[in-house]
Amino acid sequence: MTRKFVLIGFMGAGKSTAARALGPGGADVDHVIEERAGESVRDIFARAGEAHFRALEEQTTLELLADPSVRAVALGGGALGSPAIRAAIAAHTVVWIDIDVDSAWHRVTHSHHPHRRPLASDPERFRALYAERHDGYWELADVIVPANRAREIAQVLTCLDGLPDRPGLRTLWAASASGDYPVHIGPGLLCEAGFWPAAVTGRRVIVSDYNAFRHHGAHLSPAFADVRIMPGEQSKTIAHAEIVWTEMARHGVTRSDVVAALGGGVVGDLAGFCAATYQRGVPVVQVPTTLVAQVDSAYGGKTGVDLPEAKNYVGAYHQPAAVIVDPLTLTTLPEAEVAAGYAEVVKTALIAGGGLWERVAAGAEPTDPAVIAGCALTKLRIVASDERDGGPRQLLNLGHTVGHALETVTGYARYRHGEAVGLGLLAALRLSGQDALREQVADLLAARGLPTHAGPGLELEPIIFATAKDKKRTGEGPVPFVLLRTPGEAIYGQHVTPAALRAAVKELIA
Ligand SMILES: NC(=O)c1ccc[n+]([C@@H]2O[C@H](COP(=O)([O-])OP(=O)(O)OC[C@H]3O[C@@H](n4cnc5c(N)ncnc54)[C@H](O)[C@@H]3O)[C@@H](O)[C@H]2O)c1
């Protein structure tokens, strides 16, 4: 049987639009049921009840999945409640059209087809249903496409060309104002399959550090050139960017070539910045090999270098052409680096809430591909709504204002970025008045060997001074903080009193 695309997602996500956009052979289950019955879904619900409709839905779905003339099937919103349908779609490529609950509500309440949505009359029930179904979509999805790309789904799915058929592989489509790209996440994708996206042509220029290259450089062959820097944050400087630019020029790299950034966040930020600026911009493929990079820094297109005065002060937005994430590259990563990445996992899970936070709070392994993909999806959703940090993207800075200040006052040498973020998270939770959650997070961090105190030898005033250098601050105003109401509900642009900030930092260095 040839693989079909099975389109899943909540009401209003645009599954029917996507099925239509996939051309001849696109079938929408609700539409087929209505045509055959000669009445609307809402009327079938009203006349014969939900159980009758679900039986009809199951029968029609199974029939369409077995029909060789059908290429793509858009399932009804509740179809995944049927074990028979869940079993049948396992042999196909499941594409989740992902929509946030507010957009879904807006769409269904302004829909041309209100008769199709018998479950969309009560906003509270709608939200509850969304929360109930969300993790089910997540579990089943091979490909996740944002709802605002449903019309372009045919182009989006070409990113699957040449992708090996491997268990556990997921592709997330990253949408942003300045460019879209696929994120392929799969154990062994790089180390075993040597995957490189077919759509990214051009000679590969590997930019890496000595550790990442030694362990994984061979998986990216054939390379046209490679440039290696010394490992560590101390390499994220303009001087190192100049080394990379110079090496690229010496090798005769042109704009039709592509930079492969192989390594952690330092390499990703530096190589991305060099790609953004070399000859005014060459493409970059991010190939993250640390946990920090796989859950966070490889996505979203922020690139740059540090100044001695402050971190990440010079840079550019440069979205990657693709991201290749192989969790197996983490098997060579030192334990302390995995721990540093864990702080970013906890941060992301606190922002996401829901199933991701539940898994992380229950002690999930941070290198679990599902945890990595969950963090990636969380970041991509936020960046899609705000590429340039004007609003919601600031949420990703939970814990970072104090975290960056700790890195700055210690000359970037004492803490790994993730370690500083873990400490910053504790300060942010105290400032949020989340005392019990702070204890829970401190326990999670401590269980992975992360510091929960910043002492000894640190002084309060330089840290407070360094927080004022935060890039989110505008003009002479106070530094805005990201605070947390509850997991899943972070808020940005919050002002805290100087006394509260002092107390939260003092507690860390006591
Ligand atoms: N651009 C963004 O959106 C963003 C987001 C978060 C963090 N960051 C940046 O990321 C940086 C931190 O990244 P990081 O924590 O990955 O640090 P890193 O890049 O310094 O890597 C940590 C260490 O792991 C080594 N290493 C990398 N891959 C390895 C592997 N597979 N096996 C063995 N060793 C390996 C490196 O050589 C290095 O010694 C910071 O500069 C931070 O500002 C950027």
Side-chain angles (χ1 to χ4, degrees), residues 209 211-212 215-216 231-233 236 264-267 269 289-290 292-293 296-297 299 302 311-312 329 332-334 337 344 379 417:
D209 70 20
N211 294 330
H215 291 296
H216 304 294
E233 186 75 29
K236 224 176 93 173
V266 166
V267 163
D269 283 9
T289 62
T290 64
V292 167
D296 189 344
S297 65
Y299 321 106
K302 275 192 186 176
K311 208 172 140 58
N312 296 332
T329 59
T332 58
L333 194 66
E337 296 297 344
E344 298 282 8
K379 177 154 183 185
H417 176 68

PDB file of all heavy atoms in Angstrom, residues 209 211-212 215-216 231-233 236 264-267 269 289-290 292-293 296-297 299 302 311-312 329 332-334 337 344 379 417, ligand 1:
ATOM      1  N   ASP A 209      33.427  23.390  16.204  1.00  0.00           N
ATOM      2  CA  ASP A 209      34.547  23.498  17.137  1.00  0.00           C
ATOM      3  C   ASP A 209      35.232  22.128  17.197  1.00  0.00           C
ATOM      4  O   ASP A 209      34.722  21.148  16.664  1.00  0.00           O
ATOM      5  CB  ASP A 209      34.119  24.057  18.497  1.00  0.00           C
ATOM      6  CG  ASP A 209      33.261  23.104  19.318  1.00  0.00           C
ATOM      7  OD1 ASP A 209      33.279  21.872  19.054  1.00  0.00           O
ATOM      8  OD2 ASP A 209      32.555  23.579  20.225  1.00  0.00           O
ATOM      9  N   ASN A 211      35.681  19.830  19.386  1.00  0.00           N
ATOM     10  CA  ASN A 211      34.971  18.675  19.964  1.00  0.00           C
ATOM     11  C   ASN A 211      33.883  18.157  19.031  1.00  0.00           C
ATOM     12  O   ASN A 211      33.817  16.965  18.729  1.00  0.00           O
ATOM     13  CB  ASN A 211      34.318  19.056  21.301  1.00  0.00           C
ATOM     14  CG  ASN A 211      35.340  19.375  22.361  1.00  0.00           C
ATOM     15  OD1 ASN A 211      36.442  18.820  22.344  1.00  0.00           O
ATOM     16  ND2 ASN A 211      35.004  20.277  23.277  1.00  0.00           N
ATOM     17  N   ALA A 212      33.017  19.057  18.595  1.00  0.00           N
ATOM     18  CA  ALA A 212      31.889  18.627  17.753  1.00  0.00           C
ATOM     19  C   ALA A 212      32.410  18.017  16.452  1.00  0.00           C
ATOM     20  O   ALA A 212      31.904  16.994  15.973  1.00  0.00           O
ATOM     21  CB  ALA A 212      30.973  19.814  17.461  1.00  0.00           C
ATOM     22  N   HIS A 215      33.902  14.422  16.893  1.00  0.00           N
ATOM     23  CA  HIS A 215      32.907  13.363  17.082  1.00  0.00           C
ATOM     24  C   HIS A 215      31.988  13.186  15.873  1.00  0.00           C
ATOM     25  O   HIS A 215      31.576  12.075  15.574  1.00  0.00           O
ATOM     26  CB  HIS A 215      32.036  13.658  18.309  1.00  0.00           C
ATOM     27  CG  HIS A 215      32.785  13.545  19.603  1.00  0.00           C
ATOM     28  ND1 HIS A 215      33.330  12.361  20.046  1.00  0.00           N
ATOM     29  CD2 HIS A 215      33.085  14.477  20.548  1.00  0.00           C
ATOM     30  CE1 HIS A 215      33.928  12.561  21.211  1.00  0.00           C
ATOM     31  NE2 HIS A 215      33.797  13.839  21.536  1.00  0.00           N
ATOM     32  N   HIS A 216      31.643  14.295  15.220  1.00  0.00           N
ATOM     33  CA  HIS A 216      30.542  14.188  14.239  1.00  0.00           C
ATOM     34  C   HIS A 216      30.817  14.814  12.877  1.00  0.00           C
ATOM     35  O   HIS A 216      29.946  14.762  11.999  1.00  0.00           O
ATOM     36  CB  HIS A 216      29.270  14.811  14.849  1.00  0.00           C
ATOM     37  CG  HIS A 216      28.910  14.177  16.156  1.00  0.00           C
ATOM     38  ND1 HIS A 216      28.514  12.863  16.252  1.00  0.00           N
ATOM     39  CD2 HIS A 216      28.955  14.660  17.423  1.00  0.00           C
ATOM     40  CE1 HIS A 216      28.304  12.567  17.534  1.00  0.00           C
ATOM     41  NE2 HIS A 216      28.567  13.639  18.263  1.00  0.00           N
ATOM     42  N   PRO A 231      36.704  25.287  21.397  1.00  0.00           N
ATOM     43  CA  PRO A 231      35.402  25.168  22.064  1.00  0.00           C
ATOM     44  C   PRO A 231      35.221  26.223  23.162  1.00  0.00           C
ATOM     45  O   PRO A 231      36.196  26.645  23.770  1.00  0.00           O
ATOM     46  CB  PRO A 231      35.455  23.773  22.702  1.00  0.00           C
ATOM     47  CG  PRO A 231      36.591  23.065  22.058  1.00  0.00           C
ATOM     48  CD  PRO A 231      37.564  24.117  21.627  1.00  0.00           C
ATOM     49  N   GLY A 232      33.981  26.606  23.381  1.00  0.00           N
ATOM     50  CA  GLY A 232      33.671  27.449  24.543  1.00  0.00           C
ATOM     51  C   GLY A 232      33.188  28.840  24.186  1.00  0.00           C
ATOM     52  O   GLY A 232      33.420  29.348  23.094  1.00  0.00           O
ATOM     53  N   GLU A 233      32.504  29.436  25.177  1.00  0.00           N
ATOM     54  CA  GLU A 233      31.896  30.763  25.012  1.00  0.00           C
ATOM     55  C   GLU A 233      32.944  31.822  24.639  1.00  0.00           C
ATOM     56  O   GLU A 233      32.630  32.796  23.953  1.00  0.00           O
ATOM     57  CB  GLU A 233      31.179  31.141  26.319  1.00  0.00           C
ATOM     58  CG  GLU A 233      30.369  32.415  26.277  1.00  0.00           C
ATOM     59  CD  GLU A 233      29.043  32.287  25.524  1.00  0.00           C
ATOM     60  OE1 GLU A 233      28.464  31.177  25.488  1.00  0.00           O
ATOM     61  OE2 GLU A 233      28.592  33.295  24.953  1.00  0.00           O
ATOM     62  N   LYS A 236      33.035  33.073  21.144  1.00  0.00           N
ATOM     63  CA  LYS A 236      31.904  33.784  20.522  1.00  0.00           C
ATOM     64  C   LYS A 236      32.210  35.280  20.493  1.00  0.00           C
ATOM     65  O   LYS A 236      31.581  36.078  21.179  1.00  0.00           O
ATOM     66  CB  LYS A 236      30.613  33.500  21.326  1.00  0.00           C
ATOM     67  CG  LYS A 236      29.423  33.202  20.428  1.00  0.00           C
ATOM     68  CD  LYS A 236      28.187  32.839  21.222  1.00  0.00           C
ATOM     69  CE  LYS A 236      27.283  33.995  21.522  1.00  0.00           C
ATOM     70  NZ  LYS A 236      26.020  33.606  22.146  1.00  0.00           N
ATOM     71  N   GLY A 264      27.465  23.214  19.281  1.00  0.00           N
ATOM     72  CA  GLY A 264      26.519  23.717  20.261  1.00  0.00           C
ATOM     73  C   GLY A 264      26.079  25.133  19.920  1.00  0.00           C
ATOM     74  O   GLY A 264      26.258  25.609  18.790  1.00  0.00           O
ATOM     75  N   GLY A 265      25.543  25.810  20.932  1.00  0.00           N
ATOM     76  CA  GLY A 265      25.025  27.152  20.718  1.00  0.00           C
ATOM     77  C   GLY A 265      26.104  28.156  20.338  1.00  0.00           C
ATOM     78  O   GLY A 265      25.835  29.114  19.608  1.00  0.00           O
ATOM     79  N   VAL A 266      27.324  27.934  20.824  1.00  0.00           N
ATOM     80  CA  VAL A 266      28.407  28.861  20.479  1.00  0.00           C
ATOM     81  C   VAL A 266      28.677  28.810  18.982  1.00  0.00           C
ATOM     82  O   VAL A 266      28.704  29.837  18.297  1.00  0.00           O
ATOM     83  CB  VAL A 266      29.684  28.528  21.300  1.00  0.00           C
ATOM     84  CG1 VAL A 266      30.899  29.220  20.725  1.00  0.00           C
ATOM     85  CG2 VAL A 266      29.481  28.920  22.765  1.00  0.00           C
ATOM     86  N   VAL A 267      28.841  27.594  18.473  1.00  0.00           N
ATOM     87  CA  VAL A 267      29.084  27.438  17.036  1.00  0.00           C
ATOM     88  C   VAL A 267      27.860  27.918  16.243  1.00  0.00           C
ATOM     89  O   VAL A 267      27.994  28.625  15.240  1.00  0.00           O
ATOM     90  CB  VAL A 267      29.406  25.961  16.709  1.00  0.00           C
ATOM     91  CG1 VAL A 267      29.237  25.695  15.217  1.00  0.00           C
ATOM     92  CG2 VAL A 267      30.806  25.608  17.167  1.00  0.00           C
ATOM     93  N   ASP A 269      25.580  30.145  16.978  1.00  0.00           N
ATOM     94  CA  ASP A 269      25.455  31.609  16.988  1.00  0.00           C
ATOM     95  C   ASP A 269      26.552  32.263  16.139  1.00  0.00           C
ATOM     96  O   ASP A 269      26.299  33.185  15.370  1.00  0.00           O
ATOM     97  CB  ASP A 269      25.553  32.154  18.422  1.00  0.00           C
ATOM     98  CG  ASP A 269      24.257  31.948  19.204  1.00  0.00           C
ATOM     99  OD1 ASP A 269      23.366  31.250  18.691  1.00  0.00           O
ATOM    100  OD2 ASP A 269      24.146  32.481  20.328  1.00  0.00           O
ATOM    101  N   THR A 289      24.559  19.904  18.133  1.00  0.00           N
ATOM    102  CA  THR A 289      25.064  18.676  18.762  1.00  0.00           C
ATOM    103  C   THR A 289      25.121  18.763  20.277  1.00  0.00           C
ATOM    104  O   THR A 289      25.714  17.902  20.924  1.00  0.00           O
ATOM    105  CB  THR A 289      26.478  18.349  18.232  1.00  0.00           C
ATOM    106  OG1 THR A 289      27.350  19.433  18.596  1.00  0.00           O
ATOM    107  CG2 THR A 289      26.487  18.150  16.725  1.00  0.00           C
ATOM    108  N   THR A 290      24.591  19.840  20.871  1.00  0.00           N
ATOM    109  CA  THR A 290      24.459  19.877  22.335  1.00  0.00           C
ATOM    110  C   THR A 290      22.963  19.935  22.656  1.00  0.00           C
ATOM    111  O   THR A 290      22.144  20.286  21.803  1.00  0.00           O
ATOM    112  CB  THR A 290      25.128  21.120  22.968  1.00  0.00           C
ATOM    113  OG1 THR A 290      24.443  22.292  22.505  1.00  0.00           O
ATOM    114  CG2 THR A 290      26.601  21.207  22.642  1.00  0.00           C
ATOM    115  N   VAL A 292      21.528  22.073  24.693  1.00  0.00           N
ATOM    116  CA  VAL A 292      21.103  23.479  24.620  1.00  0.00           C
ATOM    117  C   VAL A 292      20.717  23.832  23.188  1.00  0.00           C
ATOM    118  O   VAL A 292      19.693  24.460  22.923  1.00  0.00           O
ATOM    119  CB  VAL A 292      22.237  24.429  25.101  1.00  0.00           C
ATOM    120  CG1 VAL A 292      21.935  25.869  24.725  1.00  0.00           C
ATOM    121  CG2 VAL A 292      22.445  24.313  26.603  1.00  0.00           C
ATOM    122  N   ALA A 293      21.549  23.421  22.254  1.00  0.00           N
ATOM    123  CA  ALA A 293      21.299  23.785  20.863  1.00  0.00           C
ATOM    124  C   ALA A 293      20.107  23.019  20.291  1.00  0.00           C
ATOM    125  O   ALA A 293      19.327  23.571  19.519  1.00  0.00           O
ATOM    126  CB  ALA A 293      22.561  23.523  20.044  1.00  0.00           C
ATOM    127  N   ASP A 296      16.912  24.529  21.887  1.00  0.00           N
ATOM    128  CA  ASP A 296      16.701  25.970  21.907  1.00  0.00           C
ATOM    129  C   ASP A 296      17.440  26.732  20.815  1.00  0.00           C
ATOM    130  O   ASP A 296      16.843  27.239  19.864  1.00  0.00           O
ATOM    131  CB  ASP A 296      17.098  26.502  23.303  1.00  0.00           C
ATOM    132  CG  ASP A 296      16.714  27.951  23.518  1.00  0.00           C
ATOM    133  OD1 ASP A 296      16.429  28.653  22.544  1.00  0.00           O
ATOM    134  OD2 ASP A 296      16.702  28.408  24.676  1.00  0.00           O
ATOM    135  N   SER A 297      18.791  26.781  20.899  1.00  0.00           N
ATOM    136  CA  SER A 297      19.493  27.816  20.134  1.00  0.00           C
ATOM    137  C   SER A 297      19.494  27.599  18.624  1.00  0.00           C
ATOM    138  O   SER A 297      19.696  28.551  17.876  1.00  0.00           O
ATOM    139  CB  SER A 297      20.928  27.978  20.650  1.00  0.00           C
ATOM    140  OG  SER A 297      21.670  26.820  20.413  1.00  0.00           O
ATOM    141  N   TYR A 299      17.075  27.061  16.680  1.00  0.00           N
ATOM    142  CA  TYR A 299      15.844  27.523  16.029  1.00  0.00           C
ATOM    143  C   TYR A 299      15.662  29.021  16.233  1.00  0.00           C
ATOM    144  O   TYR A 299      16.016  29.559  17.268  1.00  0.00           O
ATOM    145  CB  TYR A 299      14.623  26.805  16.626  1.00  0.00           C
ATOM    146  CG  TYR A 299      14.888  25.350  16.924  1.00  0.00           C
ATOM    147  CD1 TYR A 299      15.051  24.902  18.232  1.00  0.00           C
ATOM    148  CD2 TYR A 299      15.023  24.427  15.887  1.00  0.00           C
ATOM    149  CE1 TYR A 299      15.323  23.571  18.510  1.00  0.00           C
ATOM    150  CE2 TYR A 299      15.302  23.101  16.157  1.00  0.00           C
ATOM    151  CZ  TYR A 299      15.455  22.673  17.471  1.00  0.00           C
ATOM    152  OH  TYR A 299      15.740  21.365  17.734  1.00  0.00           O
ATOM    153  N   LYS A 302      18.308  33.655  15.665  1.00  0.00           N
ATOM    154  CA  LYS A 302      19.122  34.671  16.346  1.00  0.00           C
ATOM    155  C   LYS A 302      20.574  34.223  16.275  1.00  0.00           C
ATOM    156  O   LYS A 302      20.902  33.110  16.696  1.00  0.00           O
ATOM    157  CB  LYS A 302      18.716  34.784  17.807  1.00  0.00           C
ATOM    158  CG  LYS A 302      17.564  35.700  18.043  1.00  0.00           C
ATOM    159  CD  LYS A 302      17.455  35.964  19.534  1.00  0.00           C
ATOM    160  CE  LYS A 302      16.237  36.761  19.872  1.00  0.00           C
ATOM    161  NZ  LYS A 302      16.083  36.925  21.326  1.00  0.00           N
ATOM    162  N   LYS A 311      26.589  40.103  26.916  1.00  0.00           N
ATOM    163  CA  LYS A 311      26.438  38.917  26.064  1.00  0.00           C
ATOM    164  C   LYS A 311      25.525  39.195  24.866  1.00  0.00           C
ATOM    165  O   LYS A 311      24.579  39.959  24.981  1.00  0.00           O
ATOM    166  CB  LYS A 311      25.792  37.852  26.957  1.00  0.00           C
ATOM    167  CG  LYS A 311      26.116  36.455  26.577  1.00  0.00           C
ATOM    168  CD  LYS A 311      25.582  35.505  27.629  1.00  0.00           C
ATOM    169  CE  LYS A 311      25.011  34.291  26.961  1.00  0.00           C
ATOM    170  NZ  LYS A 311      25.968  33.589  26.125  1.00  0.00           N
ATOM    171  N   ASN A 312      25.824  38.534  23.771  1.00  0.00           N
ATOM    172  CA  ASN A 312      24.976  38.576  22.567  1.00  0.00           C
ATOM    173  C   ASN A 312      24.655  40.004  22.126  1.00  0.00           C
ATOM    174  O   ASN A 312      23.537  40.286  21.703  1.00  0.00           O
ATOM    175  CB  ASN A 312      23.629  37.857  22.827  1.00  0.00           C
ATOM    176  CG  ASN A 312      23.820  36.378  23.102  1.00  0.00           C
ATOM    177  OD1 ASN A 312      24.772  35.766  22.627  1.00  0.00           O
ATOM    178  ND2 ASN A 312      22.904  35.796  23.863  1.00  0.00           N
ATOM    179  N   THR A 329      23.659  12.305  18.633  1.00  0.00           N
ATOM    180  CA  THR A 329      24.929  13.042  18.763  1.00  0.00           C
ATOM    181  C   THR A 329      25.193  13.402  20.228  1.00  0.00           C
ATOM    182  O   THR A 329      26.318  13.684  20.606  1.00  0.00           O
ATOM    183  CB  THR A 329      24.942  14.349  17.919  1.00  0.00           C
ATOM    184  OG1 THR A 329      23.857  15.179  18.351  1.00  0.00           O
ATOM    185  CG2 THR A 329      24.826  14.074  16.433  1.00  0.00           C
ATOM    186  N   THR A 332      27.868  11.564  22.906  1.00  0.00           N
ATOM    187  CA  THR A 332      29.271  11.926  23.158  1.00  0.00           C
ATOM    188  C   THR A 332      29.399  13.183  24.031  1.00  0.00           C
ATOM    189  O   THR A 332      30.502  13.607  24.357  1.00  0.00           O
ATOM    190  CB  THR A 332      30.018  12.186  21.824  1.00  0.00           C
ATOM    191  OG1 THR A 332      29.338  13.229  21.112  1.00  0.00           O
ATOM    192  CG2 THR A 332      30.070  10.937  20.958  1.00  0.00           C
ATOM    193  N   LEU A 333      28.276  13.774  24.382  1.00  0.00           N
ATOM    194  CA  LEU A 333      28.297  15.043  25.117  1.00  0.00           C
ATOM    195  C   LEU A 333      28.598  14.794  26.604  1.00  0.00           C
ATOM    196  O   LEU A 333      27.953  13.942  27.218  1.00  0.00           O
ATOM    197  CB  LEU A 333      26.927  15.720  24.965  1.00  0.00           C
ATOM    198  CG  LEU A 333      26.823  17.177  25.374  1.00  0.00           C
ATOM    199  CD1 LEU A 333      27.671  18.070  24.464  1.00  0.00           C
ATOM    200  CD2 LEU A 333      25.357  17.633  25.302  1.00  0.00           C
ATOM    201  N   PRO A 334      29.558  15.519  27.174  1.00  0.00           N
ATOM    202  CA  PRO A 334      29.847  15.319  28.609  1.00  0.00           C
ATOM    203  C   PRO A 334      28.595  15.563  29.465  1.00  0.00           C
ATOM    204  O   PRO A 334      27.757  16.410  29.138  1.00  0.00           O
ATOM    205  CB  PRO A 334      30.915  16.371  28.908  1.00  0.00           C
ATOM    206  CG  PRO A 334      31.518  16.715  27.591  1.00  0.00           C
ATOM    207  CD  PRO A 334      30.447  16.517  26.562  1.00  0.00           C
ATOM    208  N   GLU A 337      27.451  19.023  30.315  1.00  0.00           N
ATOM    209  CA  GLU A 337      26.805  19.776  29.231  1.00  0.00           C
ATOM    210  C   GLU A 337      25.346  19.345  29.070  1.00  0.00           C
ATOM    211  O   GLU A 337      24.488  20.158  28.723  1.00  0.00           O
ATOM    212  CB  GLU A 337      27.564  19.585  27.905  1.00  0.00           C
ATOM    213  CG  GLU A 337      28.979  20.124  27.894  1.00  0.00           C
ATOM    214  CD  GLU A 337      29.051  21.640  28.088  1.00  0.00           C
ATOM    215  OE1 GLU A 337      28.028  22.326  27.936  1.00  0.00           O
ATOM    216  OE2 GLU A 337      30.158  22.117  28.417  1.00  0.00           O
ATOM    217  N   GLU A 344      17.575  24.585  30.114  1.00  0.00           N
ATOM    218  CA  GLU A 344      16.767  25.135  29.009  1.00  0.00           C
ATOM    219  C   GLU A 344      15.518  24.276  28.791  1.00  0.00           C
ATOM    220  O   GLU A 344      14.462  24.777  28.400  1.00  0.00           O
ATOM    221  CB  GLU A 344      17.579  25.220  27.710  1.00  0.00           C
ATOM    222  CG  GLU A 344      18.795  26.129  27.766  1.00  0.00           C
ATOM    223  CD  GLU A 344      18.477  27.628  27.647  1.00  0.00           C
ATOM    224  OE1 GLU A 344      17.299  28.009  27.659  1.00  0.00           O
ATOM    225  OE2 GLU A 344      19.452  28.414  27.571  1.00  0.00           O
ATOM    226  N   LYS A 379       9.356  26.424  20.998  1.00  0.00           N
ATOM    227  CA  LYS A 379      10.116  27.605  20.550  1.00  0.00           C
ATOM    228  C   LYS A 379       9.628  28.059  19.178  1.00  0.00           C
ATOM    229  O   LYS A 379       9.443  29.268  18.944  1.00  0.00           O
ATOM    230  CB  LYS A 379      11.612  27.308  20.525  1.00  0.00           C
ATOM    231  CG  LYS A 379      12.391  28.509  20.001  1.00  0.00           C
ATOM    232  CD  LYS A 379      13.808  28.607  20.475  1.00  0.00           C
ATOM    233  CE  LYS A 379      14.459  29.881  19.955  1.00  0.00           C
ATOM    234  NZ  LYS A 379      15.863  29.984  20.274  1.00  0.00           N
ATOM    235  N   HIS A 417      26.248  28.421  30.100  1.00  0.00           N
ATOM    236  CA  HIS A 417      25.039  29.224  29.883  1.00  0.00           C
ATOM    237  C   HIS A 417      23.835  28.581  30.578  1.00  0.00           C
ATOM    238  O   HIS A 417      23.072  29.242  31.293  1.00  0.00           O
ATOM    239  CB  HIS A 417      24.800  29.360  28.382  1.00  0.00           C
ATOM    240  CG  HIS A 417      23.540  30.074  28.036  1.00  0.00           C
ATOM    241  ND1 HIS A 417      23.353  31.421  28.277  1.00  0.00           N
ATOM    242  CD2 HIS A 417      22.377  29.632  27.494  1.00  0.00           C
ATOM    243  CE1 HIS A 417      22.154  31.772  27.883  1.00  0.00           C
ATOM    244  NE2 HIS A 417      21.529  30.706  27.402  1.00  0.00           N
TER     245      HIS A 417
HETATM  246  N1  LIG B   1      20.594  31.820  19.342  1.00  0.00           N
HETATM  247  C1  LIG B   1      19.788  31.510  20.305  1.00  0.00           C
HETATM  248  O1  LIG B   1      18.575  31.629  20.178  1.00  0.00           O
HETATM  249  C2  LIG B   1      20.366  30.956  21.572  1.00  0.00           C
HETATM  250  C3  LIG B   1      19.516  30.358  22.511  1.00  0.00           C
HETATM  251  C4  LIG B   1      20.090  29.785  23.645  1.00  0.00           C
HETATM  252  C5  LIG B   1      21.478  29.815  23.823  1.00  0.00           C
HETATM  253  N2  LIG B   1      22.254  30.420  22.901  1.00  0.00           N
HETATM  254  C6  LIG B   1      23.714  30.473  23.048  1.00  0.00           C
HETATM  255  O2  LIG B   1      24.226  29.145  23.066  1.00  0.00           O
HETATM  256  C7  LIG B   1      25.482  29.168  23.728  1.00  0.00           C
HETATM  257  C8  LIG B   1      25.597  27.951  24.608  1.00  0.00           C
HETATM  258  O3  LIG B   1      25.486  26.800  23.832  1.00  0.00           O
HETATM  259  P1  LIG B   1      25.968  25.381  24.371  1.00  0.00           P
HETATM  260  O4  LIG B   1      25.495  25.193  25.736  1.00  0.00           O
HETATM  261  O5  LIG B   1      25.594  24.399  23.328  1.00  0.00           O
HETATM  262  O6  LIG B   1      27.556  25.527  24.506  1.00  0.00           O
HETATM  263  P2  LIG B   1      28.778  25.204  23.531  1.00  0.00           P
HETATM  264  O7  LIG B   1      28.458  25.469  22.136  1.00  0.00           O
HETATM  265  O8  LIG B   1      29.942  25.896  24.132  1.00  0.00           O
HETATM  266  O9  LIG B   1      28.991  23.631  23.689  1.00  0.00           O
HETATM  267  C9  LIG B   1      29.325  23.101  24.952  1.00  0.00           C
HETATM  268  C10 LIG B   1      30.517  22.158  24.870  1.00  0.00           C
HETATM  269  O10 LIG B   1      30.130  20.942  24.253  1.00  0.00           O
HETATM  270  C11 LIG B   1      31.064  20.581  23.237  1.00  0.00           C
HETATM  271  N3  LIG B   1      30.343  19.762  22.286  1.00  0.00           N
HETATM  272  C12 LIG B   1      29.401  20.154  21.384  1.00  0.00           C
HETATM  273  N4  LIG B   1      28.809  19.091  20.835  1.00  0.00           N
HETATM  274  C13 LIG B   1      29.390  18.007  21.366  1.00  0.00           C
HETATM  275  C14 LIG B   1      29.171  16.618  21.211  1.00  0.00           C
HETATM  276  N5  LIG B   1      28.165  16.133  20.474  1.00  0.00           N
HETATM  277  N6  LIG B   1      29.956  15.758  21.892  1.00  0.00           N
HETATM  278  C15 LIG B   1      30.927  16.240  22.722  1.00  0.00           C
HETATM  279  N7  LIG B   1      31.136  17.534  22.950  1.00  0.00           N
HETATM  280  C16 LIG B   1      30.362  18.409  22.272  1.00  0.00           C
HETATM  281  C17 LIG B   1      31.583  21.893  22.757  1.00  0.00           C
HETATM  282  O11 LIG B   1      32.824  21.749  22.128  1.00  0.00           O
HETATM  283  C18 LIG B   1      31.676  22.686  24.040  1.00  0.00           C
HETATM  284  O12 LIG B   1      32.870  22.357  24.698  1.00  0.00           O
HETATM  285  C19 LIG B   1      25.552  30.484  24.466  1.00  0.00           C
HETATM  286  O13 LIG B   1      26.464  31.322  23.825  1.00  0.00           O
HETATM  287  C20 LIG B   1      24.156  31.068  24.347  1.00  0.00           C
HETATM  288  O14 LIG B   1      24.144  32.464  24.328  1.00  0.00           O
HETATM  289  C21 LIG B   1      21.726  30.987  21.782  1.00  0.00           C
END
